């Protein structure tokens, strides 16, 4: 067992939540005094924030959504370039970053110097949980862009004490060269990029990635590593000693969840800096963090100054994998299943594209790159079988028709959903270096 980074990570979860209760009261008072946006919302909701002193009272506050953020930033001014929920003068901002824009127009978030300290504390906990140690050299494969997984991650990893090499944002050849030249044992990048490198690096190097010095693989920026077949592929291809994932949200804190050595779900690592809730997205009921529970994550930053949010619906749908762990951490562990806004409905049943991919990934002869093909942007409801692209493994001797038949039966039996698969060769797909979408629009229709 490795020691957690901070003592609070091993404190009883109930005590952590009780601490959050008092911190939430302070955050509400801050919003009432400094946030033009939330002052207007409190009036609209008929809420006196000073009267809310308990978690049960806090749960009566309506949610904030990504659409609220976008509307807030439609009309801005030099005094409030981040919109009316900017709660500090512009000159007090220390950093401005943006969302990736993968689900619509990017939104911007600001950080004061104090906010950056909050972020660094939490992100350092996350990287420590994943196994990065101060004495190690880390190839940082994400470009230092405006996204949360760029510069903020780089800064936190540097503060952790690691020798961090900013190799992202350039060519794959240069990244691989740095990995080899510097004998770096750790590679951090997005999950999609890890898979991209696994596929493309042998063509560039004319040798397998198992001959590279990286033995610790850390992925972020989207789910996938928790899928057993994907994790095992990375382990085998790189001859790795660990393959772990982490996750966060730029609107709140760039990284808040990270896998420990158990590699069975990501621990919550933002104790004392953000309050998290598990929400049934249909009924909007708050659920307890219990093993097997599923729902959408909702966050409220604690002590956030620049662009604070209140009960922010993340859109990330997760499954709780445990509430205790051999590593000693006491926070809930979870696996991200997918985005709530990517959920499909087949004859009244909910299904995530990632769930379809995960089932197909376990089929002999199929690679873990299956994607749902929708007839037009925004299609959610299906009465007929859902079109799915299945990527054939070029090293398999199985007949593609047998693979397709097994995929249909496996998805039907495990997910109670029917699919209409189309087998394609590996050369027919494009792998992304940043994020790979599991849904694509059928442009041939």
């Amino acid at each position: 067992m490795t020691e957690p980074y901070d003592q609070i990570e091993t404190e009883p979860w109930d005590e952590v939540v009780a601490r959050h209760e008092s911190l939430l009261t302070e955050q509400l008072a801050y919003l009432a005094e400094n946030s033009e946006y939330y002052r207007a919302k409190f009036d609209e909701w008929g809420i006196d924030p000073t009267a809310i002193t308990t978690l049960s009272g806090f749960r009566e506050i309506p949610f904030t959504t990504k659409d609220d953020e976008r509307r807030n930033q439609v009309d801005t001014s030099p005094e409030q370039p981040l919109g009316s929920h900017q709660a500090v003068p512009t000159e007090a901002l220390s950093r401005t970053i943006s969302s990736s824009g993968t689900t619509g127009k990017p939104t911007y978030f600001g950080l004061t110097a104090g906010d950056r300290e909050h972020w660094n504390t939490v992100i350092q906990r996350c990287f420590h949980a994943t196994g990065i140690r101060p004495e190690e050299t880390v190839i940082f494969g994400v470009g230092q862009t405006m996204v949360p997984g760029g510069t903020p991650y780089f800064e936190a990893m540097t503060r952790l004490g690691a020798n961090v090499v900013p190799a992202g944002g350039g060519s794959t050849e240069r990244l691989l060269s740095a990995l080899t030249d510097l004998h770096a044992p750790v590679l951090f990048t997005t999950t999609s990029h890890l898979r991209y490198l696994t596929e493309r690096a042998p063509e560039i190097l004319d040798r397998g990635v198992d001959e590279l010095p990286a033995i610790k693989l850390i992925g972020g920026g989207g789910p996938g590593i928790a899928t057993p077949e994907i994790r095992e592929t990375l382990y085998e291809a790189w001859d790795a000693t660990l393959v772990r994932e982490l996750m966060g949200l730029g609107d709140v804190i760039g990284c808040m969840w990270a896998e420990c050595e158990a590699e069975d779900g990501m621990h919550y690592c933002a104790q004392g800096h953000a309050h998290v809730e598990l929400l049934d997205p249909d009924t909007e009921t708050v659920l307890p963090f219990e093993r097997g529970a599923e729902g959408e994550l909702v966050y409220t930053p604690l002590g956030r100054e620049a662009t604070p949010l209140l009960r922010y619906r993340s859109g990330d749908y997760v499954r709780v994998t445990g509430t205790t762990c051999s590593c000693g951490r006491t926070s809930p562990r979870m696996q991200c299943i997918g985005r709530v806004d990517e959920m499909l409905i087949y004859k009244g049943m909910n299904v995530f594209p990632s769930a379809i991919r995960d089932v197909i990934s376990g089929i002999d002869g199929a690679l873990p790159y299956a994607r749902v093909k929708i007839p037009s942007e925004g299609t959610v409801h299906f009465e007929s079988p859902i079109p799915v692209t299945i990527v054939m493994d070029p090293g398999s001797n199985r007949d593609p028709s047998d693979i397709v038949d097994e995929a249909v039966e496996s998805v039907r039996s495990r997910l109670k959903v029917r699919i209409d698969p189309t087998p394609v060769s590996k050369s027919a797909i494009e792998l992304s270096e940043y994020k790979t979408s599991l849904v694509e629009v059928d442009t041939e229709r």
Side-chain angles (χ1 to χ4, degrees):
M1 183 186 90
T2 59
E3 288 295 322
Y5 194 69
D6 283 329
Q7 181 180 342
I8 195 172
E9 296 178 78
T10 60
E11 292 181 8
W13 181 246
D14 288 347
E15 292 181 13
V16 172
V17 173
R19 185 183 304 186
H20 287 185
E21 191 170 51
S22 62
L23 292 172
L24 286 167
T25 301
E26 295 175 16
Q27 186 69 16
L28 286 170
Y30 179 84
L31 293 174
E33 181 176 352
N34 298 283
S35 174
E36 175 189 331
Y37 177 79
Y38 279 111
R39 279 199 302 271
K41 282 295 183 182
F42 290 144
D43 288 341
E44 177 187 324
W45 296 331
I47 288 177
D48 176 5
T50 63
I52 298 173
T53 58
T54 64
L55 279 176
S56 59
F58 175 75
R59 289 171 181 164
E60 297 300 316
I61 298 173
F63 301 103
T64 302
T65 67
K66 176 62 78 174
D67 286 341
D68 292 327
E69 273 197 294
R70 290 196 179 104
R71 284 192 293 268
N72 182 60
Q73 294 187 357
V74 169
D75 295 312
T76 60
S77 66
E79 293 73 29
Q80 288 183 305
L82 305 181
S84 60
H85 80 309
Q86 179 181 327
V88 296
T90 301
E91 57 267 26
L93 296 175
S94 178
R95 174 173 291 150
T96 298
I97 56 177
S98 78
S99 63
S100 63
T102 54
T103 60
K105 187 181 186 302
T107 51
Y108 297 94
F109 347 104
L111 301 174
T112 64
D115 293 334
R116 285 174 64 183
E117 289 304 314
H118 281 280
W119 276 45
N120 277 311
T121 296
V122 175
I123 300 174
Q124 283 167 229
R125 289 178 190 169
C126 290
F127 280 122
H128 185 269
T130 62
I132 295 176
R133 295 295 175 262
E135 66 274 11
E136 294 178 313
T137 294
V138 180
I139 296 299
F140 194 88
V142 178
Q144 289 195 70
T145 62
M146 291 177 69
V147 297
T151 304
Y153 276 32
F154 186 90
E155 178 180 43
M157 201 182 296
T158 302
R159 289 206 186 184
L160 184 64
N163 173 29
V164 191
V165 183
S171 69
T172 299
E173 290 86 345
R174 185 165 184 177
L175 184 151
L176 294 172
S177 176
L179 191 65
T180 301
D181 295 343
L182 299 173
H183 307 279
V186 185
L187 172 59
F188 164 75
T189 187
T190 65
T191 299
S192 292
H193 196 198
L194 281 177
R195 298 173 69 190
Y196 175 90
L197 292 172
T198 303
E199 295 287 344
R200 296 289 186 251
E203 302 171 11
I204 297 169
L205 300 170
D206 199 28
R207 58 192 170 113
V209 290
D210 59 330
E211 298 181 45
L212 296 174
I215 55 174
K216 293 183 176 183
L217 307 179
I218 315 295
I225 284 178
T227 303
E229 290 75 19
I230 293 176
R231 194 192 298 269
E232 191 58 34
T233 295
L234 292 171
Y235 261 116
E236 291 180 358
W238 292 79
D239 194 20
T241 60
L242 66 81
V243 179
R244 298 177 190 168
E245 65 178 348
L246 39 72
M247 187 183 91
L249 195 67
D251 317 67
V252 184
I253 297 175
C255 190
M256 293 178 281
W257 300 84
E259 277 191 313
C260 69
E261 55 262 40
E263 294 185 357
D264 183 26
M266 294 175 276
H267 280 282
Y268 190 62
C269 296
Q271 301 96 323
H273 298 273
H275 181 65
V276 63
E277 302 171 86
L278 186 66
L279 184 76
D280 183 317
D282 295 323
T283 66
E284 297 191 345
T285 302
V286 175
L287 307 171
F289 280 98
E290 297 176 343
R291 182 178 178 83
E294 295 185 7
E296 179 183 358
L297 295 174
V298 175
Y299 299 101
T300 300
L302 303 170
R304 183 69 174 268
E305 296 174 330
T307 48
L309 294 169
L310 185 57
R311 302 201 78 199
Y312 182 73
R313 293 186 65 160
S314 68
D316 291 321
Y317 192 88
V318 306
R319 178 184 300 116
V320 179
T321 60
T323 54
T324 60
C325 188
S326 58
C327 75
R329 291 176 180 84
T330 55
S331 60
R333 287 179 288 126
M334 66 78 183
Q335 291 176 352
C336 187
I337 300 174
R339 296 283 304 169
V340 172
D341 53 13
E342 287 186 348
M343 186 185 290
L344 305 175
I345 301 173
Y346 174 76
K347 294 186 176 181
M349 294 183 58
N350 295 338
V351 62
F352 284 95
S354 56
I356 295 174
R357 177 205 61 193
D358 290 351
V359 172
I360 293 174
S361 295
I363 295 173
D364 180 26
L367 293 176
Y369 300 119
R371 299 180 188 176
V372 170
K373 218 165 190 181
I374 58 176
S376 60
E377 193 73 43
T379 299
V380 174
H381 294 269
F382 290 86
E383 291 298 321
S384 55
I386 300 172
V388 175
T389 298
I390 299 181
V391 182
M392 299 290 106
D393 183 349
S396 173
N397 293 322
R398 291 192 73 189
D399 189 302
S401 63
D402 292 337
I403 297 171
V404 166
D405 289 345
E406 185 177 344
V408 170
E409 178 57 29
S410 296
V411 172
R412 185 197 63 77
S413 62
R414 291 178 58 180
L415 302 179
K416 313 305 179 188
V417 166
R418 292 192 178 277
I419 60 171
D420 178 18
T422 299
V424 300
S425 67
K426 188 176 171 184
S427 61
I429 64 167
E430 282 190 32
L431 297 175
S432 168
E433 294 189 41
Y434 184 58
K435 288 186 178 182
T436 300
S437 175
L438 297 178
V439 178
E440 58 182 342
V441 178
D442 189 351
T443 57
E444 299 178 1
R445 288 177 64 91

